Amino acid sequence: MSTINKYYVVWIWHIPWIYTTWKECRANILKFPKARYKKFSTYEKAKVAYSESHEKHWWVKKQSDGTIIRSCKHKIWFVKNLDKIIASSIVSDGACSYAWSNSGKIEWQVIDMKTWEYVVKSKVFENGTNNIAEFLWLCDAIEYRNIIQSSQTIFCDSKIALWWVRDMECRTNAEEIPIELKLLIEESIEYLQWLWHIEKLYLWETKKWWENPADYWRK
């Protein structure tokens, strides 16, 4: 039986190197969402890539004048006719003491429906909005999925949060956002910008399926 060789270049994390097995590569990138790595079909290609900057092989491209730009926005799927909920998905909810655009205390939580465990439970932040909470929980869900190397579907009941993730922006009009919360927003946007792509993000149909399992039930 013929064996197809694969070579994994790790540019950033524990030990940058060219690894010949996914097990070795994974051991050096696990629990580090900003790790930079890529698979190559030949050792020669991997060796050249390793000697170069990781940016050349990730999400950026150069224009004719040398300017580096993003190649595309993240793809978001708005599902309108999904017949059933995917049982092993990841769901979450954000809560705000004042709904919509008014600021108040916010928090969020993420549930992995494979185990029905809360994998993220945020602290309570002052002077936030519901949209900010929804955006941050979606970023946390994406990061959690990447950390555990999962292909699970993520459901979000906020179109605004999906749009913000797609555009890698937090377009809030809230004023006097606490420094700690502002830094968290900036870190989340930076994380989205580092990702190669994001897939399997779906809109949770609340009218069709009722509230998602992570809902705070504070209506």
Side-chain angles (χ1 to χ4, degrees), residues 165-210:
V165 166
R166 178 197 65 187
D167 298 337
M168 292 163 291
E169 294 178 350
C170 182
R171 296 190 292 270
T172 180
N173 295 321
E175 299 179 355
E176 299 182 358
I177 299 176
I179 295 297
E180 185 179 9
L181 186 58
K182 188 177 294 185
L183 289 174
L184 187 58
I185 293 171
E186 291 175 356
E187 290 174 0
S188 297
I189 292 173
E190 181 183 358
Y191 176 71
L192 293 175
Q193 291 173 338
W194 275 105
L195 294 178
W196 174 252
H197 69 284
I198 302 175
E199 59 182 15
K200 292 189 176 181
L201 298 186
Y202 292 101
L203 181 67
W204 178 276
E205 295 285 355
T206 303
K207 291 182 179 179
K208 186 176 180 180
W209 303 325
W210 198 235

mmCIF file of all heavy atoms in Angstrom, residues 165-210:
data_model
loop_
_atom_site.group_PDB
_atom_site.id
_atom_site.type_symbol
_atom_site.label_atom_id
_atom_site.label_comp_id
_atom_site.label_asym_id
_atom_site.label_seq_id
_atom_site.Cartn_x
_atom_site.Cartn_y
_atom_site.Cartn_z
ATOM 1 N N VAL A 165 -18.951 39.271 12.819
ATOM 2 C CA VAL A 165 -17.896 38.268 12.655
ATOM 3 C C VAL A 165 -17.472 38.190 11.199
ATOM 4 O O VAL A 165 -16.284 38.112 10.884
ATOM 5 C CB VAL A 165 -18.371 36.889 13.166
ATOM 6 C CG1 VAL A 165 -17.436 35.780 12.684
ATOM 7 C CG2 VAL A 165 -18.444 36.889 14.686
ATOM 8 N N ARG A 166 -18.444 38.195 10.308
ATOM 9 C CA ARG A 166 -18.132 38.149 8.875
ATOM 10 C C ARG A 166 -17.222 39.302 8.474
ATOM 11 O O ARG A 166 -16.242 39.117 7.744
ATOM 12 C CB ARG A 166 -19.430 38.203 8.063
ATOM 13 C CG ARG A 166 -19.228 38.214 6.547
ATOM 14 C CD ARG A 166 -20.481 38.682 5.833
ATOM 15 N NE ARG A 166 -20.782 40.067 6.164
ATOM 16 C CZ ARG A 166 -21.904 40.690 5.769
ATOM 17 N NH1 ARG A 166 -22.836 40.039 5.095
ATOM 18 N NH2 ARG A 166 -22.108 41.959 6.099
ATOM 19 N N ASP A 167 -17.534 40.503 8.962
ATOM 20 C CA ASP A 167 -16.775 41.702 8.575
ATOM 21 C C ASP A 167 -15.603 41.986 9.501
ATOM 22 O O ASP A 167 -14.869 42.933 9.281
ATOM 23 C CB ASP A 167 -17.706 42.916 8.557
ATOM 24 C CG ASP A 167 -18.824 42.774 7.545
ATOM 25 O OD1 ASP A 167 -18.656 42.000 6.577
ATOM 26 O OD2 ASP A 167 -19.871 43.423 7.720
ATOM 27 N N MET A 168 -15.468 41.168 10.557
ATOM 28 C CA MET A 168 -14.390 41.324 11.537
ATOM 29 C C MET A 168 -14.393 42.727 12.138
ATOM 30 O O MET A 168 -13.364 43.382 12.278
ATOM 31 C CB MET A 168 -13.039 40.995 10.895
ATOM 32 C CG MET A 168 -12.885 39.552 10.556
ATOM 33 S SD MET A 168 -11.541 39.232 9.386
ATOM 34 C CE MET A 168 -12.225 39.965 7.907
ATOM 35 N N GLU A 169 -15.588 43.176 12.511
ATOM 36 C CA GLU A 169 -15.774 44.493 13.114
ATOM 37 C C GLU A 169 -16.811 44.407 14.220
ATOM 38 O O GLU A 169 -17.728 43.587 14.167
ATOM 39 C CB GLU A 169 -16.250 45.508 12.072
ATOM 40 C CG GLU A 169 -15.250 45.820 10.981
ATOM 41 C CD GLU A 169 -15.800 46.796 9.968
ATOM 42 O OE1 GLU A 169 -17.024 47.090 10.004
ATOM 43 O OE2 GLU A 169 -15.021 47.262 9.131
ATOM 44 N N CYS A 170 -16.664 45.248 15.214
ATOM 45 C CA CYS A 170 -17.671 45.387 16.263
ATOM 46 C C CYS A 170 -18.247 46.790 16.132
ATOM 47 O O CYS A 170 -17.726 47.741 16.707
ATOM 48 C CB CYS A 170 -17.052 45.170 17.642
ATOM 49 S SG CYS A 170 -18.247 45.261 18.993
ATOM 50 N N ARG A 171 -19.317 46.916 15.367
ATOM 51 C CA ARG A 171 -19.847 48.227 15.014
ATOM 52 C C ARG A 171 -20.863 48.725 16.048
ATOM 53 O O ARG A 171 -22.004 49.041 15.739
ATOM 54 C CB ARG A 171 -20.483 48.169 13.628
ATOM 55 C CG ARG A 171 -19.491 47.863 12.513
ATOM 56 C CD ARG A 171 -20.103 48.060 11.142
ATOM 57 N NE ARG A 171 -21.124 47.073 10.853
ATOM 58 C CZ ARG A 171 -20.878 45.900 10.274
ATOM 59 N NH1 ARG A 171 -19.637 45.572 9.940
ATOM 60 N NH2 ARG A 171 -21.856 45.042 10.040
ATOM 61 N N THR A 172 -20.427 48.791 17.279
ATOM 62 C CA THR A 172 -21.307 49.247 18.344
ATOM 63 C C THR A 172 -21.297 50.763 18.457
ATOM 64 O O THR A 172 -20.278 51.408 18.184
ATOM 65 C CB THR A 172 -20.908 48.629 19.692
ATOM 66 O OG1 THR A 172 -21.789 49.100 20.707
ATOM 67 C CG2 THR A 172 -19.470 49.000 20.053
ATOM 68 N N ASN A 173 -22.424 51.314 18.856
ATOM 69 C CA ASN A 173 -22.519 52.754 19.110
ATOM 70 C C ASN A 173 -22.442 53.070 20.593
ATOM 71 O O ASN A 173 -22.641 54.214 20.996
ATOM 72 C CB ASN A 173 -23.843 53.300 18.546
ATOM 73 C CG ASN A 173 -23.906 53.204 17.035
ATOM 74 O OD1 ASN A 173 -22.915 53.433 16.349
ATOM 75 N ND2 ASN A 173 -25.081 52.880 16.506
ATOM 76 N N ALA A 174 -22.165 52.048 21.377
ATOM 77 C CA ALA A 174 -22.118 52.240 22.829
ATOM 78 C C ALA A 174 -20.973 53.174 23.216
ATOM 79 O O ALA A 174 -19.893 53.150 22.617
ATOM 80 C CB ALA A 174 -21.944 50.895 23.526
ATOM 81 N N GLU A 175 -21.226 54.003 24.190
ATOM 82 C CA GLU A 175 -20.220 54.932 24.685
ATOM 83 C C GLU A 175 -19.741 54.490 26.062
ATOM 84 O O GLU A 175 -20.420 53.745 26.765
ATOM 85 C CB GLU A 175 -20.798 56.347 24.755
ATOM 86 C CG GLU A 175 -21.252 56.891 23.392
ATOM 87 C CD GLU A 175 -21.849 58.273 23.504
ATOM 88 O OE1 GLU A 175 -21.986 58.762 24.653
ATOM 89 O OE2 GLU A 175 -22.187 58.858 22.455
ATOM 90 N N GLU A 176 -18.565 54.946 26.429
ATOM 91 C CA GLU A 176 -17.990 54.659 27.742
ATOM 92 C C GLU A 176 -17.893 53.165 28.026
ATOM 93 O O GLU A 176 -18.252 52.680 29.109
ATOM 94 C CB GLU A 176 -18.808 55.359 28.837
ATOM 95 C CG GLU A 176 -18.822 56.873 28.695
ATOM 96 C CD GLU A 176 -19.605 57.542 29.813
ATOM 97 O OE1 GLU A 176 -20.149 56.807 30.661
ATOM 98 O OE2 GLU A 176 -19.662 58.775 29.830
ATOM 99 N N ILE A 177 -17.397 52.413 27.040
ATOM 100 C CA ILE A 177 -17.169 50.985 27.243
ATOM 101 C C ILE A 177 -15.954 50.826 28.159
ATOM 102 O O ILE A 177 -14.922 51.453 27.933
ATOM 103 C CB ILE A 177 -16.916 50.273 25.902
ATOM 104 C CG1 ILE A 177 -18.131 50.420 24.983
ATOM 105 C CG2 ILE A 177 -16.606 48.798 26.114
ATOM 106 C CD1 ILE A 177 -17.920 49.828 23.607
ATOM 107 N N PRO A 178 -16.054 50.014 29.189
ATOM 108 C CA PRO A 178 -14.910 49.816 30.104
ATOM 109 C C PRO A 178 -13.669 49.330 29.358
ATOM 110 O O PRO A 178 -13.784 48.615 28.358
ATOM 111 C CB PRO A 178 -15.414 48.748 31.071
ATOM 112 C CG PRO A 178 -16.897 48.837 31.005
ATOM 113 C CD PRO A 178 -17.230 49.237 29.605
ATOM 114 N N ILE A 179 -12.521 49.718 29.847
ATOM 115 C CA ILE A 179 -11.253 49.363 29.201
ATOM 116 C C ILE A 179 -11.117 47.850 29.047
ATOM 117 O O ILE A 179 -10.708 47.347 27.993
ATOM 118 C CB ILE A 179 -10.057 49.914 29.997
ATOM 119 C CG1 ILE A 179 -10.054 51.442 29.991
ATOM 120 C CG2 ILE A 179 -8.745 49.383 29.418
ATOM 121 C CD1 ILE A 179 -9.889 52.058 28.601
ATOM 122 N N GLU A 180 -11.451 47.096 30.103
ATOM 123 C CA GLU A 180 -11.314 45.645 30.060
ATOM 124 C C GLU A 180 -12.164 45.040 28.942
ATOM 125 O O GLU A 180 -11.717 44.150 28.219
ATOM 126 C CB GLU A 180 -11.715 45.039 31.405
ATOM 127 C CG GLU A 180 -11.477 43.541 31.489
ATOM 128 C CD GLU A 180 -11.865 42.971 32.839
ATOM 129 O OE1 GLU A 180 -12.478 43.706 33.653
ATOM 130 O OE2 GLU A 180 -11.554 41.786 33.091
ATOM 131 N N LEU A 181 -13.395 45.538 28.792
ATOM 132 C CA LEU A 181 -14.286 45.039 27.747
ATOM 133 C C LEU A 181 -13.805 45.470 26.374
ATOM 134 O O LEU A 181 -13.868 44.703 25.410
ATOM 135 C CB LEU A 181 -15.707 45.540 28.000
ATOM 136 C CG LEU A 181 -16.801 45.002 27.069
ATOM 137 C CD1 LEU A 181 -16.860 43.488 27.117
ATOM 138 C CD2 LEU A 181 -18.158 45.603 27.454
ATOM 139 N N LYS A 182 -13.313 46.691 26.287
ATOM 140 C CA LYS A 182 -12.795 47.196 25.012
ATOM 141 C C LYS A 182 -11.592 46.376 24.546
ATOM 142 O O LYS A 182 -11.475 46.042 23.365
ATOM 143 C CB LYS A 182 -12.395 48.672 25.161
ATOM 144 C CG LYS A 182 -12.027 49.356 23.854
ATOM 145 C CD LYS A 182 -11.712 50.839 24.083
ATOM 146 C CE LYS A 182 -12.928 51.594 24.515
ATOM 147 N NZ LYS A 182 -12.677 53.061 24.635
ATOM 148 N N LEU A 183 -10.703 46.025 25.458
ATOM 149 C CA LEU A 183 -9.544 45.198 25.114
ATOM 150 C C LEU A 183 -9.973 43.806 24.655
ATOM 151 O O LEU A 183 -9.385 43.242 23.729
ATOM 152 C CB LEU A 183 -8.600 45.084 26.313
ATOM 153 C CG LEU A 183 -7.825 46.343 26.695
ATOM 154 C CD1 LEU A 183 -7.051 46.123 27.982
ATOM 155 C CD2 LEU A 183 -6.876 46.754 25.573
ATOM 156 N N LEU A 184 -11.006 43.265 25.296
ATOM 157 C CA LEU A 184 -11.516 41.954 24.908
ATOM 158 C C LEU A 184 -12.095 41.983 23.497
ATOM 159 O O LEU A 184 -11.895 41.048 22.714
ATOM 160 C CB LEU A 184 -12.576 41.498 25.911
ATOM 161 C CG LEU A 184 -13.090 40.063 25.754
ATOM 162 C CD1 LEU A 184 -11.937 39.058 25.847
ATOM 163 C CD2 LEU A 184 -14.137 39.770 26.828
ATOM 164 N N ILE A 185 -12.782 43.054 23.159
ATOM 165 C CA ILE A 185 -13.319 43.219 21.806
ATOM 166 C C ILE A 185 -12.185 43.292 20.787
ATOM 167 O O ILE A 185 -12.218 42.641 19.741
ATOM 168 C CB ILE A 185 -14.202 44.479 21.719
ATOM 169 C CG1 ILE A 185 -15.473 44.303 22.554
ATOM 170 C CG2 ILE A 185 -14.558 44.796 20.267
ATOM 171 C CD1 ILE A 185 -16.295 45.570 22.704
ATOM 172 N N GLU A 186 -11.151 44.072 21.113
ATOM 173 C CA GLU A 186 -10.005 44.208 20.205
ATOM 174 C C GLU A 186 -9.292 42.876 20.014
ATOM 175 O O GLU A 186 -8.883 42.531 18.895
ATOM 176 C CB GLU A 186 -9.042 45.265 20.762
ATOM 177 C CG GLU A 186 -9.601 46.680 20.724
ATOM 178 C CD GLU A 186 -8.685 47.688 21.392
ATOM 179 O OE1 GLU A 186 -7.652 47.256 21.959
ATOM 180 O OE2 GLU A 186 -8.992 48.900 21.357
ATOM 181 N N GLU A 187 -9.128 42.111 21.085
ATOM 182 C CA GLU A 187 -8.481 40.799 20.988
ATOM 183 C C GLU A 187 -9.305 39.837 20.143
ATOM 184 O O GLU A 187 -8.756 39.044 19.375
ATOM 185 C CB GLU A 187 -8.273 40.222 22.386
ATOM 186 C CG GLU A 187 -7.213 40.944 23.202
ATOM 187 C CD GLU A 187 -7.129 40.434 24.628
ATOM 188 O OE1 GLU A 187 -7.915 39.517 24.971
ATOM 189 O OE2 GLU A 187 -6.304 40.947 25.402
ATOM 190 N N SER A 188 -10.624 39.903 20.278
ATOM 191 C CA SER A 188 -11.509 39.020 19.505
ATOM 192 C C SER A 188 -11.431 39.350 18.023
ATOM 193 O O SER A 188 -11.396 38.452 17.170
ATOM 194 C CB SER A 188 -12.954 39.159 20.003
ATOM 195 O OG SER A 188 -13.071 38.748 21.344
ATOM 196 N N ILE A 189 -11.387 40.632 17.685
ATOM 197 C CA ILE A 189 -11.275 41.039 16.282
ATOM 198 C C ILE A 189 -9.934 40.607 15.714
ATOM 199 O O ILE A 189 -9.844 40.111 14.588
ATOM 200 C CB ILE A 189 -11.459 42.568 16.153
ATOM 201 C CG1 ILE A 189 -12.905 42.950 16.499
ATOM 202 C CG2 ILE A 189 -11.102 43.046 14.738
ATOM 203 C CD1 ILE A 189 -13.152 44.438 16.556
ATOM 204 N N GLU A 190 -8.879 40.770 16.506
ATOM 205 C CA GLU A 190 -7.546 40.347 16.071
ATOM 206 C C GLU A 190 -7.523 38.838 15.815
ATOM 207 O O GLU A 190 -6.927 38.371 14.843
ATOM 208 C CB GLU A 190 -6.508 40.711 17.126
ATOM 209 C CG GLU A 190 -5.080 40.333 16.730
ATOM 210 C CD GLU A 190 -4.077 40.636 17.823
ATOM 211 O OE1 GLU A 190 -4.479 41.179 18.864
ATOM 212 O OE2 GLU A 190 -2.879 40.318 17.638
ATOM 213 N N TYR A 191 -8.198 38.082 16.677
ATOM 214 C CA TYR A 191 -8.249 36.631 16.506
ATOM 215 C C TYR A 191 -8.959 36.267 15.204
ATOM 216 O O TYR A 191 -8.494 35.404 14.450
ATOM 217 C CB TYR A 191 -8.967 36.000 17.691
ATOM 218 C CG TYR A 191 -9.156 34.507 17.546
ATOM 219 C CD1 TYR A 191 -8.072 33.645 17.650
ATOM 220 C CD2 TYR A 191 -10.411 33.967 17.287
ATOM 221 C CE1 TYR A 191 -8.226 32.284 17.504
ATOM 222 C CE2 TYR A 191 -10.576 32.599 17.142
ATOM 223 C CZ TYR A 191 -9.483 31.764 17.250
ATOM 224 O OH TYR A 191 -9.647 30.420 17.097
ATOM 225 N N LEU A 192 -10.077 36.925 14.912
ATOM 226 C CA LEU A 192 -10.810 36.662 13.667
ATOM 227 C C LEU A 192 -9.950 36.969 12.449
ATOM 228 O O LEU A 192 -9.994 36.268 11.437
ATOM 229 C CB LEU A 192 -12.090 37.502 13.619
ATOM 230 C CG LEU A 192 -13.182 37.164 14.640
ATOM 231 C CD1 LEU A 192 -14.326 38.170 14.530
ATOM 232 C CD2 LEU A 192 -13.694 35.746 14.457
ATOM 233 N N GLN A 193 -9.156 38.020 12.539
ATOM 234 C CA GLN A 193 -8.316 38.415 11.409
ATOM 235 C C GLN A 193 -7.204 37.410 11.139
ATOM 236 O O GLN A 193 -6.725 37.301 10.013
ATOM 237 C CB GLN A 193 -7.725 39.807 11.673
ATOM 238 C CG GLN A 193 -8.758 40.913 11.650
ATOM 239 C CD GLN A 193 -8.192 42.255 12.068
ATOM 240 O OE1 GLN A 193 -7.165 42.338 12.745
ATOM 241 N NE2 GLN A 193 -8.863 43.332 11.698
ATOM 242 N N TRP A 194 -6.804 36.663 12.170
ATOM 243 C CA TRP A 194 -5.740 35.677 12.003
ATOM 244 C C TRP A 194 -6.231 34.381 11.381
ATOM 245 O O TRP A 194 -5.448 33.606 10.837
ATOM 246 C CB TRP A 194 -5.094 35.358 13.356
ATOM 247 C CG TRP A 194 -4.019 36.311 13.763
ATOM 248 C CD1 TRP A 194 -4.094 37.278 14.700
ATOM 249 C CD2 TRP A 194 -2.701 36.386 13.233
ATOM 250 N NE1 TRP A 194 -2.921 37.955 14.804
ATOM 251 C CE2 TRP A 194 -2.038 37.428 13.901
ATOM 252 C CE3 TRP A 194 -2.006 35.679 12.250
ATOM 253 C CZ2 TRP A 194 -0.720 37.779 13.627
ATOM 254 C CZ3 TRP A 194 -0.689 36.034 11.982
ATOM 255 C CH2 TRP A 194 -0.067 37.063 12.667
ATOM 256 N N LEU A 195 -7.545 34.126 11.474
ATOM 257 C CA LEU A 195 -8.068 32.844 11.014
ATOM 258 C C LEU A 195 -8.024 32.737 9.497
ATOM 259 O O LEU A 195 -8.283 33.702 8.780
ATOM 260 C CB LEU A 195 -9.512 32.659 11.500
ATOM 261 C CG LEU A 195 -9.698 32.525 13.012
ATOM 262 C CD1 LEU A 195 -11.172 32.406 13.351
ATOM 263 C CD2 LEU A 195 -8.928 31.330 13.552
ATOM 264 N N TRP A 196 -7.740 31.546 9.043
ATOM 265 C CA TRP A 196 -7.710 31.273 7.604
ATOM 266 C C TRP A 196 -9.113 31.339 7.026
ATOM 267 O O TRP A 196 -9.378 31.957 6.018
ATOM 268 C CB TRP A 196 -7.102 29.895 7.356
ATOM 269 C CG TRP A 196 -7.152 29.452 5.923
ATOM 270 C CD1 TRP A 196 -7.939 28.488 5.389
ATOM 271 C CD2 TRP A 196 -6.372 29.960 4.845
ATOM 272 N NE1 TRP A 196 -7.714 28.353 4.046
ATOM 273 C CE2 TRP A 196 -6.739 29.249 3.687
ATOM 274 C CE3 TRP A 196 -5.396 30.948 4.742
ATOM 275 C CZ2 TRP A 196 -6.172 29.497 2.442
ATOM 276 C CZ3 TRP A 196 -4.821 31.189 3.499
ATOM 277 C CH2 TRP A 196 -5.215 30.465 2.374
ATOM 278 N N HIS A 197 -10.057 30.708 7.665
ATOM 279 C CA HIS A 197 -11.461 30.794 7.279
ATOM 280 C C HIS A 197 -12.320 30.321 8.444
ATOM 281 O O HIS A 197 -11.841 29.694 9.376
ATOM 282 C CB HIS A 197 -11.752 29.954 6.032
ATOM 283 C CG HIS A 197 -11.655 28.481 6.280
ATOM 284 N ND1 HIS A 197 -10.460 27.828 6.405
ATOM 285 C CD2 HIS A 197 -12.626 27.537 6.452
ATOM 286 C CE1 HIS A 197 -10.673 26.544 6.629
ATOM 287 N NE2 HIS A 197 -11.971 26.337 6.680
ATOM 288 N N ILE A 198 -13.585 30.681 8.381
ATOM 289 C CA ILE A 198 -14.549 30.226 9.385
ATOM 290 C C ILE A 198 -15.700 29.572 8.643
ATOM 291 O O ILE A 198 -16.249 30.140 7.713
ATOM 292 C CB ILE A 198 -15.081 31.387 10.243
ATOM 293 C CG1 ILE A 198 -13.937 32.109 10.955
ATOM 294 C CG2 ILE A 198 -16.084 30.877 11.274
ATOM 295 C CD1 ILE A 198 -14.379 33.339 11.715
ATOM 296 N N GLU A 199 -16.069 28.385 9.058
ATOM 297 C CA GLU A 199 -17.164 27.693 8.388
ATOM 298 C C GLU A 199 -18.141 27.141 9.415
ATOM 299 O O GLU A 199 -17.904 27.173 10.619
ATOM 300 C CB GLU A 199 -16.634 26.551 7.523
ATOM 301 C CG GLU A 199 -15.856 25.520 8.307
ATOM 302 C CD GLU A 199 -15.299 24.431 7.409
ATOM 303 O OE1 GLU A 199 -15.269 24.623 6.179
ATOM 304 O OE2 GLU A 199 -14.904 23.393 7.943
ATOM 305 N N LYS A 200 -19.277 26.678 8.912
ATOM 306 C CA LYS A 200 -20.321 26.058 9.732
ATOM 307 C C LYS A 200 -20.832 26.992 10.816
ATOM 308 O O LYS A 200 -20.955 26.626 11.990
ATOM 309 C CB LYS A 200 -19.831 24.749 10.341
ATOM 310 C CG LYS A 200 -19.606 23.643 9.313
ATOM 311 C CD LYS A 200 -19.329 22.324 9.980
ATOM 312 C CE LYS A 200 -19.193 21.199 8.957
ATOM 313 N NZ LYS A 200 -18.951 19.883 9.585
ATOM 314 N N LEU A 201 -21.136 28.234 10.442
ATOM 315 C CA LEU A 201 -21.844 29.158 11.315
ATOM 316 C C LEU A 201 -23.257 29.307 10.760
ATOM 317 O O LEU A 201 -23.433 29.714 9.612
ATOM 318 C CB LEU A 201 -21.169 30.529 11.359
ATOM 319 C CG LEU A 201 -19.745 30.628 11.901
ATOM 320 C CD1 LEU A 201 -19.336 32.088 11.985
ATOM 321 C CD2 LEU A 201 -19.637 29.972 13.262
ATOM 322 N N TYR A 202 -24.249 28.986 11.565
ATOM 323 C CA TYR A 202 -25.624 29.006 11.096
ATOM 324 C C TYR A 202 -26.505 29.858 12.004
ATOM 325 O O TYR A 202 -26.260 29.961 13.211
ATOM 326 C CB TYR A 202 -26.201 27.592 11.039
ATOM 327 C CG TYR A 202 -25.568 26.710 9.987
ATOM 328 C CD1 TYR A 202 -24.608 25.767 10.339
ATOM 329 C CD2 TYR A 202 -25.919 26.825 8.642
ATOM 330 C CE1 TYR A 202 -24.024 24.951 9.385
ATOM 331 C CE2 TYR A 202 -25.340 26.019 7.687
ATOM 332 C CZ TYR A 202 -24.396 25.082 8.057
ATOM 333 O OH TYR A 202 -23.820 24.287 7.114
ATOM 334 N N LEU A 203 -27.528 30.419 11.411
ATOM 335 C CA LEU A 203 -28.485 31.215 12.162
ATOM 336 C C LEU A 203 -29.470 30.301 12.887
ATOM 337 O O LEU A 203 -30.090 29.434 12.272
ATOM 338 C CB LEU A 203 -29.253 32.153 11.219
ATOM 339 C CG LEU A 203 -30.287 33.061 11.877
ATOM 340 C CD1 LEU A 203 -29.591 34.075 12.781
ATOM 341 C CD2 LEU A 203 -31.132 33.768 10.824
ATOM 342 N N TRP A 204 -29.596 30.486 14.197
ATOM 343 C CA TRP A 204 -30.555 29.719 14.980
ATOM 344 C C TRP A 204 -31.954 30.293 14.748
ATOM 345 O O TRP A 204 -32.191 31.481 14.990
ATOM 346 C CB TRP A 204 -30.199 29.778 16.460
ATOM 347 C CG TRP A 204 -31.159 29.044 17.349
ATOM 348 C CD1 TRP A 204 -32.332 29.517 17.854
ATOM 349 C CD2 TRP A 204 -31.018 27.697 17.819
ATOM 350 N NE1 TRP A 204 -32.939 28.556 18.617
ATOM 351 C CE2 TRP A 204 -32.159 27.426 18.617
ATOM 352 C CE3 TRP A 204 -30.053 26.704 17.661
ATOM 353 C CZ2 TRP A 204 -32.351 26.200 19.248
ATOM 354 C CZ3 TRP A 204 -30.249 25.489 18.285
ATOM 355 C CH2 TRP A 204 -31.376 25.245 19.063
ATOM 356 N N GLU A 205 -32.886 29.467 14.305
ATOM 357 C CA GLU A 205 -34.253 29.901 14.005
ATOM 358 C C GLU A 205 -35.103 29.847 15.280
ATOM 359 O O GLU A 205 -35.762 28.853 15.567
ATOM 360 C CB GLU A 205 -34.854 29.013 12.923
ATOM 361 C CG GLU A 205 -34.159 29.104 11.576
ATOM 362 C CD GLU A 205 -34.510 30.397 10.838
ATOM 363 O OE1 GLU A 205 -35.362 31.160 11.327
ATOM 364 O OE2 GLU A 205 -33.922 30.631 9.780
ATOM 365 N N THR A 206 -35.088 30.955 16.029
ATOM 366 C CA THR A 206 -35.794 30.983 17.312
ATOM 367 C C THR A 206 -37.300 30.764 17.146
ATOM 368 O O THR A 206 -37.923 30.043 17.936
ATOM 369 C CB THR A 206 -35.534 32.319 18.031
ATOM 370 O OG1 THR A 206 -34.122 32.492 18.206
ATOM 371 C CG2 THR A 206 -36.203 32.336 19.397
ATOM 372 N N LYS A 207 -37.899 31.372 16.143
ATOM 373 C CA LYS A 207 -39.345 31.224 15.943
ATOM 374 C C LYS A 207 -39.721 29.792 15.611
ATOM 375 O O LYS A 207 -40.824 29.337 15.923
ATOM 376 C CB LYS A 207 -39.811 32.158 14.830
ATOM 377 C CG LYS A 207 -39.749 33.631 15.192
ATOM 378 C CD LYS A 207 -40.286 34.501 14.060
ATOM 379 C CE LYS A 207 -40.247 35.982 14.437
ATOM 380 N NZ LYS A 207 -40.754 36.835 13.333
ATOM 381 N N LYS A 208 -38.798 29.080 14.986
ATOM 382 C CA LYS A 208 -39.065 27.706 14.557
ATOM 383 C C LYS A 208 -38.700 26.690 15.628
ATOM 384 O O LYS A 208 -39.406 25.696 15.825
ATOM 385 C CB LYS A 208 -38.275 27.428 13.270
ATOM 386 C CG LYS A 208 -38.553 26.095 12.608
ATOM 387 C CD LYS A 208 -37.786 26.002 11.302
ATOM 388 C CE LYS A 208 -38.032 24.680 10.602
ATOM 389 N NZ LYS A 208 -37.280 24.590 9.319
ATOM 390 N N TRP A 209 -37.580 26.943 16.339
ATOM 391 C CA TRP A 209 -37.059 25.959 17.290
ATOM 392 C C TRP A 209 -37.183 26.380 18.756
ATOM 393 O O TRP A 209 -36.766 25.670 19.643
ATOM 394 C CB TRP A 209 -35.583 25.674 16.993
ATOM 395 C CG TRP A 209 -35.317 25.202 15.603
ATOM 396 C CD1 TRP A 209 -36.119 24.400 14.846
ATOM 397 C CD2 TRP A 209 -34.162 25.475 14.806
ATOM 398 N NE1 TRP A 209 -35.544 24.163 13.627
ATOM 399 C CE2 TRP A 209 -34.325 24.815 13.570
ATOM 400 C CE3 TRP A 209 -32.999 26.210 15.007
ATOM 401 C CZ2 TRP A 209 -33.390 24.867 12.547
ATOM 402 C CZ3 TRP A 209 -32.059 26.271 13.996
ATOM 403 C CH2 TRP A 209 -32.261 25.597 12.785
ATOM 404 N N TRP A 210 -37.692 27.559 19.006
ATOM 405 C CA TRP A 210 -37.746 28.136 20.337
ATOM 406 C C TRP A 210 -36.342 28.573 20.753
ATOM 407 O O TRP A 210 -35.427 28.597 19.952
ATOM 408 C CB TRP A 210 -38.371 27.155 21.336
ATOM 409 C CG TRP A 210 -38.862 27.813 22.615
ATOM 410 C CD1 TRP A 210 -38.498 27.467 23.880
ATOM 411 C CD2 TRP A 210 -39.765 28.915 22.759
ATOM 412 N NE1 TRP A 210 -39.119 28.268 24.807
ATOM 413 C CE2 TRP A 210 -39.908 29.191 24.141
ATOM 414 C CE3 TRP A 210 -40.463 29.715 21.850
ATOM 415 C CZ2 TRP A 210 -40.709 30.207 24.641
ATOM 416 C CZ3 TRP A 210 -41.268 30.728 22.354
ATOM 417 C CH2 TRP A 210 -41.386 30.962 23.724
#
